[in-house]
Amino acid sequence: MKQALIVLAVLVAVAAPAEAQMKQIYLGPSLLFKGGTNAGNIQEGAKTGFNFHAIPDLGVTFKFMFSKSSGAGAILDLEYATYSFRMRPESESAATDENTFIFKPSYFSIAPSLYLSGVTIGAAFGFPMAYNVSNVAGTDLSSIAGTTDNLSSPSIELRLGGMITVLESDLGQLNVLIRGGYMVTGLYNKDYFDGGSDEFNPKMVSGGLGLNYLFDLGAL
């Protein structure tokens, strides 16, 4: 009997911290609407422009808080993420819907980050999934713009943003997402330039606003 009580006490001692820790793990879906532009060097005679991508990024977010009393934690986002920007002639009089091009690469993105009282700092590693190029007039030019094989893989994006809780219950929390990103790798891999300089390789900068709902796994 005494041995049984000792075993029970040990099990309770082990299970209690585990249960408390589980309440610090959250998991749920996310969506982010965003747009972007080309922050790389631009060739003379050309001009970049902002483009808003109407279809949101979709993903799953894991959030782990280091302790209940701390505002610090870690986040892992798994996403299908699309970036976009425009390029056109620099001259306003020369730019038309036919020669203003919209670039839209899409990636499966793995993004770890730190969470510090609502502020998120991290990086995203993207693996190309799709690549679309069209003009503003609506002509699809993807067949002559290259393929996903021409894109840098993995892409590396630095991220800074916020995850602000606006509604919380025993079940989980609803968060507003604010995110800015800068892709330090160029859009294309160096082989795309056939031995030439990649000085004008586009580097995408983006900004977005979205939501996620994170279920408290310890409460399920």
Side-chain angles (χ1 to χ4, degrees), residues 116-200:
L116 303 169
S117 299
V119 177
T120 58
I121 304 171
F125 303 89
F127 301 88
M129 300 291 291
Y131 183 44
N132 176 268
V133 179
S134 62
N135 60 23
V136 174
T139 304
D140 188 345
L141 304 170
S142 301
S143 60
I144 59 174
T147 68
T148 55
D149 292 336
N150 300 126
L151 304 183
S152 295
S153 181
S155 64
I156 301 174
E157 178 189 29
L158 302 181
R159 289 182 173 181
L160 176 64
M163 182 184 293
I164 303 166
T165 302
V166 294
L167 184 63
E168 190 164 14
S169 68
D170 291 339
L171 184 61
Q173 53 186 217
L174 177 68
N175 300 292
V176 172
L177 306 176
I178 303 169
R179 184 188 299 165
Y182 172 71
M183 200 167 286
V184 297
T185 50
L187 174 61
Y188 304 108
N189 59 48
K190 291 190 176 182
D191 293 341
Y192 176 80
F193 299 95
D194 195 24
S197 171
D198 66 346
E199 177 185 359
F200 300 110

